[in-house]
């Protein structure tokens, strides 16, 4: 199992990450599609070839082909949107907020899976990429759709652990 291999690669000084990785994936209350779509989208967003290589096959085994594609689409479109909207938000000139974005993001309207799942994955990717505007926007959509705060928090817990594992393992690859 790739998850076990990934956990065993985590160094002793990061034991908490090993425990948390097992917990957020192995003990999650999320339905399989939400869980594995979040895992895949955040593994892509974490930009670690090692983490993605280990987790993608397991995600693919637990997702329909449509959900696997949609999770990758969430990571792709949010990598663009997070930079765009985070920059727009950080600029002191508020006029940028009134301008048309002019960026294609059709997949958000028609992701090929349940809209709530896609929103959850987009939210989790936004957590990794640190875009407050996108986080607020996706969280509001999720909450209006009746998604509990516990589910939303589960998504950013997964994102935080996968990001931390990616940073740690990539550093170990360089330092060893």
């Amino acid at each position: 199992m790739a998850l076990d291999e990934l956990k065993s690669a985590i160094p002793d000084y990061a034991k908490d990450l090993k425990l948390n990785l097992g917990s957020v994936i192995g003990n999650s209350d999320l339905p399989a599609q939400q869980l594995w779509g979040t895992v895949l989208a955040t593994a892509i967003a974490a930009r670690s070839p090692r983490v993605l290589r280990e987790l993608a096959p397991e995600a693919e085994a637990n997702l329909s082909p449509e959900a696997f594609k949609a999770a990758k689409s969430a990571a792709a479109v949010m990598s663009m949107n997070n930079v765009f909207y985070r920059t727009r938000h950080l600029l002191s000139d508020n006029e940028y907020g009134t301008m048309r974005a002019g960026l294609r993001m059709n997949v958000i309207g028609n992701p090929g899976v349940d809209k709530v799942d896609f929103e959850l994955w987009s939210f989790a990717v936004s957590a990794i990429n640190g875009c407050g505007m996108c986080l607020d926007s996706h969280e509001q959509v999720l909450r209006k759709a009746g998604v509990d705060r516990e589910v939303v928090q589960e998504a950013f817990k997964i994102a935080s652990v996968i990001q931390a594992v990616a940073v740690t393992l990539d550093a170990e690859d360089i330092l060893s």
Side-chain angles (χ1 to χ4, degrees), residues 43-74:
I44 292 168
R47 298 174 187 87
S48 170
R50 184 177 187 179
V51 169
L52 184 57
R53 215 176 11 257
E54 295 296 333
L55 293 177
E58 220 164 321
E60 189 169 24
N62 284 283
L63 292 168
S64 68
E66 296 80 16
F68 189 78
K69 179 180 176 184
K72 294 190 304 181
S73 295

Side-chain angles (χ1 to χ4, degrees), residues 4-117:
D4 289 335
E5 290 177 27
L6 198 56
K7 286 181 354 187
S8 70
I10 297 171
D12 288 340
Y13 68 81
K15 181 181 178 184
D16 289 334
L17 297 182
K18 185 181 304 191
L19 297 171
N20 288 330
L21 184 62
S23 177
V24 298
I25 295 177
N27 298 328
S28 178
D29 290 331
L30 294 178
Q33 180 163 297
Q34 287 183 352
L35 170 65
W36 286 102
T38 303
V39 168
L40 178 60
T42 57
I44 292 168
R47 298 174 187 87
S48 170
R50 184 177 187 179
V51 169
L52 184 57
R53 215 176 11 257
E54 295 296 333
L55 293 177
E58 220 164 321
E60 189 169 24
N62 284 283
L63 292 168
S64 68
E66 296 80 16
F68 189 78
K69 179 180 176 184
K72 294 190 304 181
S73 295
V77 75
M78 294 317 297
S79 68
M80 173 186 69
N81 285 358
N82 292 157
V83 170
F84 181 83
Y85 288 104
R86 183 178 61 234
T87 302
R88 185 185 261 188
H89 173 74
L90 291 172
L91 289 170
S92 60
D93 185 343
N94 294 329
E95 287 298 310
Y96 290 102
T98 67
M99 298 170 69
R100 183 178 170 278
L103 298 171
R104 299 222 184 254
M105 47 189 103
N106 294 326
V107 71
I108 293 174
N110 187 17
V113 295
D114 185 276
K115 182 86 166 129
V116 167
D117 294 349

